[in-house]
Amino acid sequence: MDPTTDNAVRTGVPGNARASLEALRAEIAKAVVGQDAAVTGLVVALLCRGHVLLEGVPGVAKTLLVRALAAAVELDTKRVQFTPDLMPSDVTGSLVYDTRSAEFSFQPGPVFTNLLLADEINRTPPKTQSSLLEAMEERQVTVDGTPRPLPEPFLVAATQNPVEYEGTYPLPEAQLDRFLLKLTVPLPSREDEIDVLTRHAAGFNPRDLGAAGVRPVASAADLEAARAEVAKTTVSPEIAAYVVDVCRATRDSPSLTLGVSPRGATALLSTARAWAWLTGRDYVTPDDVKALALPTLRHRVQLRPEAEMEGVTTDSVINAILAHVPVPR
């Protein structure tokens, strides 16, 4: 995803919804320096009704990024710090006995919100991680046999440390596949890090985003309008076939034990449409597919142990596939 497209000429699509989303990206930048690709990924996820996994070492502003998004969108938001002793009911809610009425009543958990920040999701065991599976896929929570719908819109933005870190539990493949995007949050460049320190020296407080000037610039209505415009973005049969060919190539790669499923192909088409709309077009091109292939697919494939020992990464495998799959003209 190339942030230079922010200045691209926008034609052919009504601009009100896009203006709100562009303002959202600029508002987040008031708090977060040098993470343009991650910011754009979060906006794409909002447009696609998808969930986002942010991975990076501690201290690269993963949590701040999601908090800034919450401050810039008029949505209800809650935060859960995932720890080894967290229970599934701490996320979903539970039945509580009321001594006055002598009845059980449901006490909603923090998952009943529009934007759930699941902080350090891989610090908690798989049992608690999986408590989000139904919420992420079905957008509901079942407690004591009763399904309870979640608010709309609903987005899980989860942060995690790299799995090599001590005290982490890798997310199961079934849950990883429920995340629309996996965004890597790298260490900042020297210039960006100087900018971060300069802001802090001038009094920036990451715990007070209001003082930093971050204000709500988009609402749920803006998101609905934008999603309606994205749904009108044209996908030619050639582009659909290209997406399928890219995903099928991962299943035949000698470096992978697990390729991209049809769910992943659908996700790639969805994110490419959102990216095309954000860059001012009402049709999808192969470049849109390539731009979103890494964040959409990198967590849906699994390396062979021998390839991993040789230093091969999922990103390098996907890039090689993109270089070899014929591009439609």
Side-chain angles (χ1 to χ4, degrees), residues 98-116:
D98 188 339
T99 56
R100 291 173 297 182
S101 63
E103 294 180 348
F104 285 94
S105 61
F106 178 67
Q107 183 66 38
V111 74
F112 285 86
T113 187
N114 297 125
L115 175 59
L116 177 68

Side-chain angles (χ1 to χ4, degrees), residues 70 81 96 104 135 166 175 178 184 193 204 221 241 292 295 303 306:
Q81 182 67 48
V96 178
F104 285 94
E166 186 176 355
Q175 185 159 12
R178 264 64 177 187
T184 56
E193 196 164 1
F204 173 72
L292 273 296
L303 284 171
E306 55 270 27

Side-chain angles (χ1 to χ4, degrees), residues 151-233:
E152 176 62 34
F154 174 69
L155 168 69
V156 174
T159 72
Q160 73 169 12
N161 296 318
V163 294
E164 293 82 5
Y165 268 63
E166 186 176 355
T168 60
Y169 300 84
L171 292 173
E173 288 80 6
Q175 185 159 12
L176 281 172
D177 202 37
R178 264 64 177 187
F179 284 101
L180 179 72
L181 299 171
K182 180 183 177 182
L183 306 173
T184 56
V185 185
L187 290 165
S189 67
R190 180 176 182 273
E191 292 74 18
D192 287 338
E193 196 164 1
I194 291 173
D195 192 359
V196 170
L197 267 62
T198 301
R199 291 189 183 195
H200 279 263
F204 173 72
N205 181 1
R207 296 172 183 81
D208 188 359
L209 296 178
V214 181
R215 299 286 185 271
V217 294
S219 65
D222 294 323
L223 287 177
E224 282 303 313
R227 288 166 176 172
E229 294 296 339
V230 171
K232 299 175 185 176
T233 304

Side-chain angles (χ1 to χ4, degrees), residues 258-289:
L258 178 68
V260 176
S261 68
R263 191 209 309 271
T266 302
L268 180 55
L269 184 62
S270 177
T271 56
R273 290 180 85 184
W275 179 238
W277 180 82
L278 277 173
T279 53
R281 281 176 284 102
D282 58 359
Y283 59 92
V284 181
T285 69
D287 285 341
D288 298 323
V289 176

